[in-house]
Amino acid sequence: MPRPSRTAYPLSWRLLDAAEAVVGAMRPKRPEIVVPALFLAPAILLVAVLVWGLAGMVGDSLHVLDTATFLPAAEASLGNYAQLADRPIYATVIRRSLVAGVIVTAATLLLAFPYAYVMVRTSSSGLRRLLLIGLFLPFFIGQVVRAYGWLIILGNKGIVNAAITALGFEPLKLIYTYETILFGLVQYMLPFAVLLIAPAITAISEEMEMAAASLGANWWRGFTTVVLPLARPGLIAAGVVVFTLTLTDFAIPNILGGGTNDFAANAIYDAFFRISDAGLGAALALVLTFIGSTIVGVILAIAGAGTLGLGGRAGK
Amino acid sequence: MSAASTSPRGKRLVLWAVVGFDLLILALPTLIVLGASFTAGNIVTFPPDGLSLQWYEKVVGAYELRQAFWRSLWVAVVCTLISLPAGTLAAIALARWRIAFGRSLQVYLLLPFTVPLIASGIGMMLLFGRIGILGQLWPVGLACAVINLPFMIWAVGASVNGLDPDLENAAANCGAPPVQTFLTVTLPAVMPGVITGALLMFVLAFNEFLVSLLLVDARIVTLPVLIYNSIRSVITPDLAAVSVVYIVVAALAIRALDRLVGLDLFLRSK
């Protein structure tokens, strides 16, 4: 039988056949283990870069700065952790970050839920699109530009103070305060929270709300007894994400706070770049990681894991 | 029209008051930056000192700003090229196959989210310093790929979960071998997630500030670091004109997202 002409099959088919032949030749004895492992390998290697870096930090945190040579001391010790415990500034910084986490999470969830609800429930696709764009535009613009915008708005000669002085009042000090940092963080966190809550609301059948209404519940009662409990997974996921991002944020406390109300991340940065104490900075970074992970772990243990949405069908 | 299908006035009032406030604080910084970029004065004040395009002229002519812009673009490209295949394959594996230690793997792959960004950034800074690649630009892209990988996995995972396994079974039943099934059935089906993830990775890396701050030096600053360094000194209108670059990139990304997959994708539950 003569060989088929080279043009008898499209090039793409022949390439595909070649690929099949290669894969077939390499077929492992247990494909159900090898193939998933091959698919996962690149991602595992990527995260390994992070793990490797963190492992190095653990080592660094065990070496105290020798103030005679300004190099890390040769012998390993827990001296850096002892310093963290001894110096009041670090407890203050961590407490400030934790309090901010709680306040920002509560405020953000309060503001995000109605937005997500209207976005999901509206019958107007134009309005839904507007709300989605209103969400994504700041999300895609990033932290630095948004913080810059707030500096312009809230600065001593900004739009807010311009309005206040036009009304005959004294200008207010609105930037470089703790309250401004909290406000900037709430604004920054809103898109994250809405995007995590919205799918949970989508999963709630609108007929459930109608059933509550037809049984006599007013809208507030229906909201608190039907919608909120069913949206709980989304609220928990949003709460966890907003809390951890706030606890560990660097840019907004730095830009809107102007160095007046440092968060933990700012203190870590200063340890490395202002006082050149890498060991102390590494220790504080690891303590922050531990605190954040512990809080998230406790919340997920109580609320049930899987709310962060990575659980696929195979995981159920 | 039944009473049940009409929202009570109180409900609409409360919902819209909050939504209005949300929209205001979400949009205000962007609008103000846009407005400030057109001021004729030398400092940003209100009311503005007339209108002018002078700051755009100045920005376009600034060599260092253009260099920083191209560097940020390059970082974003590197990040997308690294994370797109890694995240796509991982998401498909996690969702399609029952994997031993699957739960542990998911926790591991979420590490970039659970580890504070400052710790990730410094850890990688120390690592890159140790192996001698600190001070180059592509490691910044690699670091952005690492810290944002969970976004990619989440985006593709949502698409994979929506894929009916019977489609792949049908292809196999019609005689398609594994590679052909993957390339012609599985991959096209998860393409909305891949596109969404790729756009997210690109924009997040273009905007990435803290990791860039830690990994770049004075010779290779990226745009967010350059803006940050300038903000720390004095607020001038040319920064507003530079920041408009971000608004334009964000608007283009949203348009691409809307056109390619539809923004409604983000409202769907699994």
Side-chain angles (χ1 to χ4, degrees), chain A residues 16 20 23 39 44 46 48-50 53 60 111 115 117 119 128-129 136-137 140-141 144 148 150-153 157 162 187 199 202 219 248 254 272 289 309 313-314, chain B residues 11 22 25 29 32 44 46 89 97-98 108 116 120 122-123 126-127 146 161 177 179-180 203 207 209 228 231-232 236 239-240 246 250 254 258 266-270:
Chain A
L16 203 54
E20 298 286 1
V23 170
F39 271 43
I44 291 174
L46 258 189
V49 171
L50 174 60
D60 288 351
L111 292 175
Y115 195 101
Y117 184 85
M119 191 166 70
R128 180 176 293 109
R129 184 203 218 76
F136 274 103
L137 196 64
F140 278 165
I141 286 172
V144 173
Y148 173 60
W150 286 123
L151 286 181
I152 297 177
I153 293 165
K157 296 187 174 180
Q187 195 260 6
T202 301
W219 74 268
T248 62
N254 182 267
F272 275 93
T289 304
R313 190 166 297 138
Chain B
K11 183 180 188 182
D22 286 347
I25 64 174
I32 290 301
V44 181
F46 283 89
L89 294 178
W97 296 308
R98 196 165 305 278
Y108 174 82
S120 302
I122 288 185
L126 296 173
L127 170 63
V146 171
N161 282 317
V179 173
Q180 185 177 6
V203 175
N207 292 346
F209 163 63
Y228 168 79
I231 287 177
R232 303 295 289 162
T236 55
L239 279 190
Y246 279 95
I254 292 168
D258 196 23
F266 292 89
L267 301 184
R268 282 173 225 155
S269 56
K270 300 202 170 178

Coordinates of all heavy atoms in Angstrom, one line a residue, chain A residues 16 20 23 39 44 46 48-50 53 60 111 115 117 119 128-129 136-137 140-141 144 148 150-153 157 162 187 199 202 219 248 254 272 289 309 313-314, chain B residues 11 22 25 29 32 44 46 89 97-98 108 116 120 122-123 126-127 146 161 177 179-180 203 207 209 228 231-232 236 239-240 246 250 254 258 266-270:
Chain A
L16 N -0.2 16.5 16.1 CA -1.0 15.9 17.2 C -0.6 14.4 17.3 O -0.4 13.8 18.3 CB -2.4 16.1 16.9 CG -3.3 16.1 18.2 CD1 -2.9 17.0 19.2 CD2 -4.8 16.4 17.8
E20 N 1.0 12.4 20.4 CA 0.4 11.2 21.0 C 1.4 10.1 21.0 O 1.5 9.3 22.0 CB -0.8 10.7 20.1 CG -1.9 11.7 20.1 CD -2.7 11.8 21.4 OE1 -2.4 11.1 22.4 OE2 -3.7 12.6 21.4
V23 N 3.9 10.8 23.9 CA 3.2 10.5 25.2 C 3.0 9.0 25.4 O 3.2 8.5 26.5 CB 1.9 11.3 25.3 CG1 1.1 10.8 26.5 CG2 2.2 12.8 25.3
F39 N 1.4 17.5 36.3 CA 0.6 18.8 36.2 C 0.9 19.7 37.4 O 0.9 20.9 37.2 CB -0.8 18.4 36.1 CG -1.4 18.2 34.8 CD1 -0.7 17.4 33.9 CD2 -2.6 18.7 34.4 CE1 -1.1 17.2 32.6 CE2 -3.1 18.4 33.1 CZ -2.4 17.7 32.2
I44 N 4.2 23.6 42.3 CA 4.9 23.2 43.5 C 6.3 23.8 43.6 O 6.7 24.3 44.6 CB 5.0 21.7 43.7 CG1 3.6 21.1 43.9 CG2 5.9 21.3 44.8 CD1 3.5 19.6 43.9
L46 N 7.2 26.6 42.0 CA 7.0 28.0 42.2 C 6.9 28.4 43.7 O 7.5 29.3 44.2 CB 5.8 28.6 41.5 CG 6.0 29.3 40.1 CD1 4.7 29.9 39.7 CD2 7.1 30.3 40.2
A48 N 7.8 26.6 46.1 CA 9.1 26.2 46.7 C 10.1 27.4 46.8 O 10.9 27.5 47.7 CB 9.7 25.0 46.0
V49 N 10.0 28.3 45.8 CA 10.9 29.5 45.9 C 10.5 30.3 47.2 O 11.4 30.7 47.9 CB 10.6 30.4 44.6 CG1 11.3 31.7 44.8 CG2 11.1 29.7 43.4
L50 N 9.3 30.4 47.4 CA 8.8 31.1 48.7 C 9.3 30.4 49.9 O 9.8 31.0 50.9 CB 7.3 31.3 48.6 CG 6.6 31.9 49.9 CD1 7.2 33.2 50.1 CD2 5.1 31.9 49.7
G53 N 12.9 30.7 50.6 CA 13.2 32.0 51.1 C 12.9 32.1 52.6 O 13.6 32.7 53.4
D60 N 18.2 33.2 59.6 CA 18.7 34.5 59.9 C 18.2 35.0 61.3 O 18.8 35.7 62.0 CB 18.2 35.5 58.9 CG 19.0 35.3 57.6 OD1 20.0 34.5 57.6 OD2 18.6 35.9 56.6
L111 N -19.9 47.3 54.6 CA -20.1 48.1 53.3 C -20.1 47.2 52.1 O -20.8 47.5 51.1 CB -18.9 49.0 53.2 CG -18.8 50.2 54.1 CD1 -17.6 51.0 54.0 CD2 -20.0 51.1 54.0
Y115 N -23.5 46.0 48.7 CA -23.0 46.2 47.3 C -23.1 44.9 46.6 O -23.6 44.8 45.4 CB -21.5 46.7 47.4 CG -21.0 47.3 46.1 CD1 -20.9 48.6 45.9 CD2 -20.5 46.4 45.1 CE1 -20.3 49.2 44.7 CE2 -20.0 46.9 43.9 CZ -19.9 48.3 43.7 OH -19.4 48.8 42.5
Y117 N -25.0 42.4 47.3 CA -26.4 42.0 47.2 C -27.0 42.7 46.0 O -27.7 42.0 45.2 CB -27.1 42.3 48.5 CG -28.5 41.9 48.6 CD1 -28.8 40.6 49.0 CD2 -29.5 42.7 48.3 CE1 -30.1 40.2 49.0 CE2 -30.8 42.3 48.3 CZ -31.2 41.0 48.7 OH -32.5 40.7 48.7
M119 N -25.6 44.0 43.5 CA -25.0 43.6 42.2 C -25.5 42.3 41.7 O -25.7 42.1 40.5 CB -23.5 43.5 42.5 CG -22.6 43.4 41.2 SD -20.9 43.7 41.6 CE -20.5 42.2 42.6
R128 N -25.7 46.2 36.8 CA -24.7 45.2 37.2 C -23.4 45.5 36.7 O -22.3 45.4 37.3 CB -25.2 43.8 36.9 CG -24.3 42.7 37.3 CD -24.8 41.3 37.0 NE -26.0 40.9 37.8 CZ -27.2 40.8 37.2 NH1 -27.4 41.0 35.9 NH2 -28.2 40.5 38.0
R129 N -23.3 45.8 35.4 CA -22.1 46.0 34.7 C -21.4 47.3 35.3 O -20.2 47.3 35.6 CB -22.3 46.3 33.2 CG -21.1 46.5 32.4 CD -21.4 47.2 31.1 NE -20.6 46.7 30.0 CZ -20.9 45.6 29.4 NH1 -21.9 44.8 29.8 NH2 -20.2 45.2 28.4
F136 N -13.9 46.8 39.7 CA -12.6 46.4 39.1 C -11.7 47.5 38.9 O -10.4 47.3 38.9 CB -12.9 45.6 37.8 CG -13.2 44.2 38.0 CD1 -14.5 43.7 38.0 CD2 -12.2 43.3 38.3 CE1 -14.7 42.4 38.2 CE2 -12.4 41.9 38.5 CZ -13.7 41.5 38.5
L137 N -12.2 48.7 38.6 CA -11.3 49.8 38.2 C -10.3 50.1 39.4 O -9.1 50.1 39.2 CB -12.1 51.0 37.8 CG -11.3 52.1 37.1 CD1 -10.8 51.6 35.8 CD2 -12.1 53.3 36.9
F140 N -7.8 47.1 39.9 CA -6.8 47.0 38.9 C -5.8 48.2 39.0 O -4.7 48.2 38.4 CB -7.3 46.9 37.5 CG -7.8 45.5 37.2 CD1 -8.6 45.3 36.1 CD2 -7.4 44.4 37.9 CE1 -9.0 44.0 35.7 CE2 -7.8 43.1 37.6 CZ -8.6 42.9 36.5
I141 N -6.2 49.3 39.7 CA -5.3 50.4 39.7 C -4.2 50.2 40.8 O -3.1 50.8 40.7 CB -6.1 51.7 40.0 CG1 -6.8 52.1 38.7 CG2 -5.3 52.9 40.4 CD1 -7.8 53.2 38.8
V144 N -0.8 52.0 45.4 CA 0.0 53.2 45.5 C -0.8 54.4 44.9 O -0.8 55.5 45.4 CB 1.4 53.0 44.7 CG1 2.1 54.4 44.7 CG2 2.2 52.0 45.5
Y148 N -2.2 57.7 46.7 CA -1.9 59.0 46.2 C -3.1 59.8 46.0 O -3.2 61.0 46.4 CB -1.1 58.8 44.9 CG -0.9 60.1 44.1 CD1 -0.1 61.1 44.7 CD2 -1.4 60.3 42.8 CE1 0.2 62.3 44.0 CE2 -1.1 61.4 42.1 CZ -0.4 62.4 42.7 OH -0.1 63.5 42.0
W150 N -5.9 59.6 47.7 CA -6.4 60.0 49.0 C -5.6 61.1 49.6 O -6.1 62.0 50.3 CB -6.4 58.8 50.0 CG -7.5 57.8 49.7 CD1 -7.4 56.5 49.5 CD2 -8.9 58.1 49.7 NE1 -8.7 56.0 49.2 CE2 -9.6 56.9 49.3 CE3 -9.7 59.3 49.8 CZ2 -11.0 56.9 49.2 CZ3 -11.1 59.2 49.7 CH2 -11.7 58.0 49.4
L151 N -4.3 61.1 49.3 CA -3.4 62.2 49.8 C -3.9 63.5 49.2 O -3.9 64.5 49.8 CB -2.0 62.0 49.4 CG -1.2 60.9 50.2 CD1 0.3 60.8 49.7 CD2 -1.2 61.2 51.7
I152 N -4.2 63.5 47.9 CA -4.7 64.7 47.2 C -6.1 65.1 47.8 O -6.3 66.3 48.1 CB -4.9 64.5 45.7 CG1 -3.5 64.2 45.1 CG2 -5.5 65.7 45.0 CD1 -3.6 63.8 43.6
I153 N -6.9 64.2 48.1 CA -8.3 64.5 48.6 C -8.2 65.0 50.0 O -8.9 66.0 50.3 CB -9.2 63.2 48.5 CG1 -9.4 62.8 47.0 CG2 -10.5 63.5 49.2 CD1 -10.0 61.5 46.9
K157 N -4.3 71.0 51.7 CA -4.9 71.9 50.7 C -5.8 71.0 49.7 O -6.1 71.4 48.6 CB -3.9 72.6 49.9 CG -3.1 73.6 50.7 CD -2.1 74.4 49.9 CE -1.4 75.5 50.7 NZ -0.5 76.3 49.9
A162 N -10.6 72.1 51.3 CA -11.0 73.3 50.5 C -12.5 73.5 50.8 O -13.0 74.7 51.0 CB -10.8 73.0 49.0
Q187 N -11.3 51.1 52.0 CA -11.5 51.3 50.6 C -10.7 50.3 49.7 O -11.2 49.8 48.7 CB -11.0 52.7 50.2 CG -11.5 53.2 48.8 CD -10.5 53.1 47.8 OE1 -9.4 52.6 48.0 NE2 -10.8 53.6 46.6
P199 N -20.4 35.5 45.0 CA -20.8 34.2 44.6 C -21.7 33.5 45.6 O -22.6 32.7 45.3 CB -19.5 33.5 44.4 CG -18.5 34.6 44.1 CD -19.0 35.7 44.9
T202 N -25.1 34.7 45.1 CA -25.7 34.1 43.9 C -26.2 32.7 44.1 O -27.2 32.3 43.5 CB -24.6 34.0 42.8 OG1 -24.1 35.3 42.5 CG2 -25.1 33.4 41.5
W219 N -38.7 42.9 55.5 CA -37.4 42.8 54.8 C -36.2 42.6 55.7 O -35.3 41.8 55.4 CB -37.2 43.9 53.8 CG -36.8 45.2 54.4 CD1 -37.6 46.2 54.8 CD2 -35.5 45.6 54.6 NE1 -36.9 47.3 55.2 CE2 -35.5 46.9 55.2 CE3 -34.2 45.1 54.4 CZ2 -34.4 47.7 55.5 CZ3 -33.1 45.8 54.8 CH2 -33.2 47.1 55.3
T248 N -1.3 42.6 57.6 CA 0.1 42.5 57.1 C 0.4 43.6 56.1 O 1.4 43.5 55.4 CB 0.3 41.1 56.4 OG1 -0.6 41.0 55.3 CG2 0.1 40.0 57.4
N254 N 2.0 53.1 55.4 CA 3.2 53.8 55.1 C 2.9 55.2 54.4 O 3.4 56.2 54.8 CB 4.2 53.0 54.3 CG 5.5 53.7 54.0 OD1 5.6 54.4 53.0 ND2 6.4 53.5 54.9
F272 N 15.1 46.0 58.6 CA 16.0 45.6 57.5 C 16.8 46.8 57.0 O 18.0 46.8 56.7 CB 15.3 44.9 56.4 CG 15.2 43.4 56.6 CD1 14.0 42.9 57.2 CD2 16.2 42.5 56.3 CE1 13.9 41.6 57.5 CE2 16.1 41.2 56.5 CZ 14.9 40.7 57.1
T289 N 4.0 36.1 60.7 CA 3.4 35.0 59.9 C 2.7 34.0 60.9 O 1.6 33.5 60.5 CB 4.6 34.3 59.2 OG1 5.3 35.2 58.4 CG2 4.1 33.1 58.4
G309 N -12.4 28.4 48.7 CA -12.8 28.1 47.4 C -11.8 27.3 46.5 O -12.1 27.1 45.4
R313 N -13.7 19.5 43.0 CA -14.7 18.4 43.1 C -14.0 17.2 43.8 O -14.6 16.5 44.6 CB -15.2 18.0 41.7 CG -16.3 17.0 41.7 CD -17.0 17.0 40.4 NE -17.6 18.3 39.9 CZ -17.4 18.8 38.7 NH1 -16.7 18.1 37.8 NH2 -18.0 19.9 38.4
A314 N -12.8 17.0 43.4 CA -12.0 15.9 44.0 C -11.9 16.0 45.5 O -11.7 15.0 46.2 CB -10.7 15.7 43.3
Chain B
K11 N -36.0 49.0 52.5 CA -34.9 48.2 52.0 C -34.1 48.8 50.9 O -32.8 48.9 50.9 CB -35.5 46.8 51.5 CG -34.4 45.8 51.1 CD -35.1 44.5 50.6 CE -34.1 43.4 50.3 NZ -34.8 42.2 49.8
D22 N -20.4 53.4 48.8 CA -19.3 52.5 48.3 C -18.8 53.0 47.0 O -17.6 53.1 46.8 CB -19.9 51.1 48.1 CG -20.1 50.3 49.4 OD1 -19.6 50.7 50.4 OD2 -20.8 49.2 49.3
I25 N -16.6 56.2 47.5 CA -15.2 56.0 48.0 C -14.4 55.1 47.0 O -13.1 55.3 47.0 CB -15.1 55.5 49.4 CG1 -15.7 54.1 49.5 CG2 -15.8 56.4 50.4 CD1 -15.5 53.4 50.9
P29 N -10.8 58.5 44.5 CA -9.4 58.6 44.3 C -9.0 58.6 42.8 O -8.2 59.4 42.4 CB -8.7 57.4 45.0 CG -9.7 57.0 46.0 CD -11.1 57.3 45.4
I32 N -10.1 62.0 41.3 CA -9.3 63.1 41.7 C -7.9 63.1 41.1 O -7.4 64.1 40.7 CB -9.2 63.1 43.3 CG1 -10.5 63.4 43.9 CG2 -8.1 64.0 43.7 CD1 -11.0 64.8 43.5
V44 N -0.7 70.5 43.6 CA -2.1 70.1 43.6 C -2.9 70.8 44.7 O -2.7 70.5 45.8 CB -2.2 68.5 43.8 CG1 -3.6 68.1 43.7 CG2 -1.3 67.8 42.7
F46 N -7.0 72.7 45.6 CA -8.4 72.8 45.2 C -8.9 74.2 45.7 O -8.7 74.5 46.9 CB -9.3 71.7 45.7 CG -9.1 70.5 44.9 CD1 -8.1 69.6 45.2 CD2 -9.9 70.2 43.8 CE1 -7.9 68.4 44.5 CE2 -9.7 69.1 43.0 CZ -8.7 68.2 43.3
L89 N -2.2 24.2 34.9 CA -2.0 22.8 35.1 C -2.4 22.4 36.5 O -3.0 21.3 36.7 CB -0.6 22.4 34.7 CG -0.2 22.5 33.2 CD1 1.3 22.2 33.0 CD2 -1.1 21.7 32.3
W97 N -8.7 15.3 39.4 CA -8.2 14.0 39.9 C -8.2 14.0 41.4 O -7.9 14.9 42.0 CB -6.8 13.7 39.3 CG -6.7 13.6 37.9 CD1 -7.5 12.8 37.1 CD2 -5.9 14.3 37.0 NE1 -7.2 13.0 35.8 CE2 -6.2 13.9 35.7 CE3 -4.9 15.3 37.2 CZ2 -5.5 14.4 34.5 CZ3 -4.2 15.8 36.0 CH2 -4.5 15.3 34.7
R98 N -8.5 12.8 41.9 CA -8.5 12.6 43.3 C -7.0 12.3 43.6 O -6.4 11.3 43.3 CB -9.3 11.3 43.7 CG -9.6 11.2 45.1 CD -10.7 10.2 45.4 NE -11.9 10.5 44.6 CZ -12.8 11.3 45.0 NH1 -12.6 12.0 46.1 NH2 -13.9 11.6 44.2
Y108 N -0.6 24.0 50.9 CA 0.7 24.4 50.4 C 0.6 25.5 49.3 O 1.3 26.5 49.4 CB 1.4 23.2 49.9 CG 2.8 23.4 49.3 CD1 3.9 23.6 50.0 CD2 2.9 23.5 47.9 CE1 5.2 23.8 49.4 CE2 4.1 23.7 47.3 CZ 5.2 23.9 48.0 OH 6.4 24.1 47.4
P116 N 2.5 36.6 55.1 CA 2.4 38.0 54.9 C 3.3 38.4 53.7 O 4.4 37.9 53.6 CB 2.9 38.6 56.2 CG 2.7 37.6 57.2 CD 2.8 36.3 56.5
S120 N 7.1 37.3 52.6 CA 7.4 36.6 51.3 C 8.5 37.5 50.6 O 9.4 36.9 50.0 CB 6.1 36.6 50.4 OG 5.1 35.9 51.1
I122 N 10.7 39.7 51.7 CA 12.0 39.7 52.3 C 12.7 38.3 52.2 O 13.9 38.2 51.9 CB 11.9 40.2 53.7 CG1 11.6 41.7 53.8 CG2 13.2 39.9 54.5 CD1 11.6 42.3 55.1
G123 N 11.9 37.3 52.3 CA 12.4 35.9 52.2 C 13.0 35.7 50.8 O 14.1 35.2 50.6
L126 N 16.2 37.8 50.3 CA 17.4 37.2 50.9 C 17.9 36.0 50.0 O 19.1 35.8 49.8 CB 17.1 36.8 52.3 CG 16.8 37.9 53.3 CD1 16.3 37.3 54.6 CD2 18.0 38.8 53.5
L127 N 16.9 35.2 49.5 CA 17.2 34.1 48.7 C 17.9 34.5 47.4 O 18.9 34.0 47.0 CB 15.9 33.3 48.4 CG 16.1 32.2 47.3 CD1 17.0 31.1 47.8 CD2 14.7 31.6 47.0
V146 N 5.0 34.0 42.0 CA 4.9 33.2 43.2 C 3.8 33.8 44.1 O 2.9 33.0 44.6 CB 6.3 33.2 44.0 CG1 6.1 32.6 45.4 CG2 7.3 32.5 43.2
N161 N -14.2 23.5 37.4 CA -15.4 23.0 38.1 C -16.7 23.1 37.3 O -17.6 22.3 37.6 CB -15.5 23.7 39.5 CG -14.5 23.2 40.5 OD1 -14.3 22.0 40.6 ND2 -13.9 24.1 41.2
P177 N -7.4 10.3 21.3 CA -6.4 9.9 22.4 C -6.2 11.1 23.4 O -6.7 12.2 23.2 CB -5.1 9.6 21.5 CG -5.4 10.1 20.2 CD -6.8 10.5 20.0
V179 N -3.9 13.3 24.4 CA -3.4 14.6 24.2 C -4.4 15.4 23.3 O -4.6 16.6 23.6 CB -2.0 14.5 23.4 CG1 -1.6 15.9 23.0 CG2 -1.0 13.9 24.3
Q180 N -5.0 14.7 22.4 CA -6.0 15.4 21.6 C -7.2 15.9 22.4 O -7.7 17.0 22.3 CB -6.5 14.5 20.4 CG -7.4 15.3 19.5 CD -7.8 14.4 18.3 OE1 -7.5 13.2 18.3 NE2 -8.6 15.0 17.4
V203 N -2.0 42.4 35.5 CA -2.3 43.6 36.1 C -1.8 43.7 37.5 O -1.2 44.7 38.0 CB -3.8 43.9 36.1 CG1 -4.1 45.2 36.9 CG2 -4.4 44.1 34.7
N207 N 1.1 46.3 38.8 CA 0.8 47.2 40.0 C 1.7 46.9 41.2 O 1.7 47.7 42.1 CB -0.6 47.1 40.4 CG -1.6 47.6 39.4 OD1 -1.2 48.3 38.5 ND2 -2.9 47.3 39.6
F209 N 3.7 46.5 44.3 CA 4.5 47.6 44.9 C 5.5 47.0 45.9 O 6.7 47.2 45.7 CB 3.6 48.6 45.5 CG 4.3 49.5 46.5 CD1 5.3 50.3 46.1 CD2 4.0 49.4 47.9 CE1 6.0 51.1 47.0 CE2 4.7 50.2 48.8 CZ 5.7 51.1 48.3
Y228 N 6.0 55.8 44.3 CA 6.1 55.8 45.8 C 7.2 56.7 46.2 O 7.0 57.5 47.2 CB 6.3 54.4 46.2 CG 6.7 54.2 47.7 CD1 5.7 54.3 48.7 CD2 8.0 54.0 48.1 CE1 6.1 54.2 50.0 CE2 8.4 53.9 49.4 CZ 7.4 54.0 50.3 OH 7.7 53.9 51.7
I231 N 6.1 60.3 45.9 CA 5.1 60.6 46.9 C 5.7 61.0 48.2 O 5.3 61.9 48.9 CB 4.1 59.5 47.1 CG1 3.2 59.4 45.9 CG2 3.2 59.7 48.3 CD1 2.2 58.2 46.0
R232 N 6.8 60.3 48.6 CA 7.4 60.5 49.9 C 8.0 61.9 50.0 O 8.3 62.3 51.1 CB 8.5 59.4 50.1 CG 7.9 58.0 50.0 CD 7.0 57.7 51.1 NE 7.6 57.6 52.4 CZ 7.0 57.7 53.6 NH1 5.7 57.9 53.6 NH2 7.6 57.6 54.7
T236 N 3.2 66.4 43.5 CA 3.2 67.3 42.4 C 2.3 66.7 41.3 O 2.0 65.5 41.2 CB 4.6 67.5 41.8 OG1 5.1 66.2 41.5 CG2 5.5 68.2 42.8
L239 N 3.0 63.6 39.0 CA 2.6 62.2 39.5 C 1.2 61.8 39.1 O 0.9 60.7 38.8 CB 2.7 62.2 41.0 CG 4.1 62.1 41.6 CD1 4.0 61.9 43.1 CD2 4.9 61.0 41.0
A240 N 0.3 62.8 39.1 CA -1.1 62.5 38.7 C -1.1 62.1 37.3 O -1.8 61.1 36.9 CB -1.9 63.7 38.9
Y246 N -1.8 54.1 35.1 CA -2.5 53.0 35.7 C -4.0 52.9 35.5 O -4.5 51.9 35.3 CB -2.2 53.1 37.3 CG -0.9 52.7 37.6 CD1 0.2 53.5 37.8 CD2 -0.7 51.3 37.8 CE1 1.4 53.1 38.1 CE2 0.6 50.9 38.2 CZ 1.6 51.8 38.3 OH 2.9 51.3 38.6
A250 N -5.7 49.8 33.7 CA -6.8 49.2 34.4 C -8.1 49.2 33.6 O -8.8 48.1 33.4 CB -7.1 49.9 35.7
I254 N -10.0 45.8 32.1 CA -11.4 45.6 32.4 C -12.2 45.4 31.1 O -13.0 44.5 30.9 CB -12.1 46.8 33.2 CG1 -11.5 46.8 34.6 CG2 -13.6 46.6 33.2 CD1 -11.8 48.1 35.3
D258 N -14.1 42.1 30.0 CA -15.5 42.1 29.7 C -15.8 41.5 28.3 O -16.7 40.7 28.1 CB -16.0 43.6 29.7 CG -17.5 43.7 29.8 OD1 -18.2 42.7 30.2 OD2 -18.0 44.8 29.4
F266 N -17.6 36.7 37.6 CA -17.2 36.8 39.0 C -18.4 36.7 39.9 O -18.2 36.6 41.2 CB -16.5 38.1 39.2 CG -15.2 38.2 38.5 CD1 -15.1 38.6 37.2 CD2 -14.0 37.7 39.1 CE1 -13.9 38.6 36.5 CE2 -12.8 37.7 38.5 CZ -12.7 38.2 37.2
L267 N -19.6 36.7 39.4 CA -20.7 36.5 40.3 C -21.2 35.1 40.5 O -22.0 34.8 41.3 CB -21.9 37.3 39.8 CG -21.7 38.8 39.6 CD1 -22.9 39.5 39.1 CD2 -21.2 39.4 40.8
R268 N -20.7 34.2 39.6 CA -21.2 32.8 39.6 C -20.6 32.1 40.8 O -19.4 32.2 41.2 CB -20.8 32.1 38.3 CG -21.6 32.5 37.2 CD -21.1 31.9 35.9 NE -21.1 32.9 34.8 CZ -20.4 32.9 33.7 NH1 -19.5 31.9 33.6 NH2 -20.4 33.8 32.8
S269 N -21.4 31.2 41.4 CA -20.9 30.3 42.4 C -20.6 29.0 41.8 O -21.1 28.7 40.7 CB -22.0 30.2 43.5 OG -23.2 29.7 42.9
K270 N -19.9 28.2 42.5 CA -19.5 26.9 41.9 C -20.6 25.9 41.7 O -21.4 25.9 42.6 CB -18.3 26.3 42.7 CG -17.2 27.3 42.8 CD -15.9 26.6 43.1 CE -14.8 27.6 42.9 NZ -13.5 27.0 43.3

